[in-house]
Amino acid sequence: MEPRWIDGANSPWGFPVFDCRAIATTMSASASNNDVAEQFVALRSSDGSHLFGKRPANAVQIEVDITYPVSLRNLPDRGMIFQAESMGDKWDIALDANVVTFARSCTGEVVYNCNLVRVNDEYRVSAIVVSEDMIDESDVYFHVHVVNFLLYSHVFDVVYPHPLPLTGDMSEDDILLHSFTAYGQRGWFATRERFGEESQ
């Protein structure tokens, strides 16, 4: 489990990934101050209603076409579909009226929305909402890949690689720090690949 690059031939996904498990599975997280810790604890008792109807600031919509088999998980119509159990979990995710809301677990800040509609034996996502301020024109679909990762890894509990930003070189230490800061204990594998964009 030493941090290392795994080439595509030896990767379960068929493309290169960086193994972050040595950090993701052993590092612990703590609050930077008492206010953050208190906010985190207070949000643990939420049924998700604090996220219903919330949007990121300066929201823009990206059209996509992503599907997930219903066999992965039968989701409720409303409520929390992933709730952080410790500060090592970085996200809270709620579902209401076919809209998924993704928020940072320590602050409750809403970062993404997407629609999620069941069609026969699939869940279909056709739009992702993100703050325009977060979009880098040189890597427009980065946040699409983040949402895809969050759905697979957090909502459907599937081991899946998270995307790395393409906006600059990252050392291995940078990758490990980015991975844990963004995804905590579920950031097991990272990748620079932008697979599937031909269908966006």
Side-chain angles (χ1 to χ4, degrees):
M1 296 225 314
E2 287 295 315
R4 63 191 177 96
W5 280 101
I6 301 172
D7 62 34
N10 294 303
S11 160
W13 300 280
F15 49 77
V17 296
F18 188 75
D19 191 338
C20 304
R21 289 176 294 173
I23 297 300
T25 60
T26 60
M27 184 176 285
S28 59
S30 59
S32 56
N33 57 62
N34 287 338
D35 289 343
V36 172
E38 290 174 3
Q39 175 82 338
F40 177 84
V41 171
L43 291 173
R44 294 318 91 210
S45 61
S46 175
D47 61 359
S49 57
H50 71 290
L51 299 177
F52 297 165
K54 300 290 180 62
R55 300 288 181 269
N58 301 321
V60 295
Q61 183 168 296
I62 302 173
E63 303 299 322
V64 298
D65 183 11
I66 309 172
T67 59
Y68 307 88
V70 169
S71 59
L72 290 176
R73 179 183 175 187
N74 188 26
L75 294 172
D77 294 329
R78 195 170 197 249
M80 297 296 293
I81 53 177
F82 181 86
Q83 190 163 39
E85 295 182 357
S86 73
M87 288 190 178
D89 292 321
K90 304 299 184 179
W91 295 88
D92 286 330
I93 306 173
L95 175 63
D96 180 47
N98 295 326
V99 175
V100 182
T101 302
F102 304 81
R104 299 299 281 182
S105 61
C106 283
T107 63
E109 177 192 3
V110 173
V111 183
Y112 304 112
N113 307 111
C114 74
N115 67 334
L116 190 72
V117 179
R118 181 168 178 168
V119 181
N120 299 321
D121 59 352
E122 292 182 329
Y123 292 112
R124 183 173 294 276
V125 176
S126 60
I128 289 171
V129 174
V130 60
S131 172
E132 186 173 19
D133 303 335
M134 293 173 57
I135 296 176
D136 189 311
E137 292 300 323
S138 64
D139 192 9
V140 171
Y141 284 106
F142 172 72
H143 297 287
V144 172
H145 289 274
V146 172
V147 169
N148 183 51
F149 163 75
L150 291 173
L151 286 169
Y152 267 124
S153 62
H154 290 58
V155 175
F156 297 121
D157 200 25
V158 173
V159 175
Y160 203 77
H162 64 77
L164 292 170
L166 300 181
T167 52
D169 292 331
M170 298 179 74
S171 69
E172 293 188 357
D173 286 344
D174 291 337
I175 293 172
L176 292 170
L177 178 61
H178 169 81
S179 174
F180 191 79
T181 301
Y183 311 113
Q185 296 170 346
R186 295 198 172 227
W188 284 17
F189 297 96
T191 184
R192 295 192 177 103
E193 295 297 308
R194 293 294 184 261
F195 47 94
E197 288 190 4
E198 64 277 0
S199 65
Q200 306 296 343

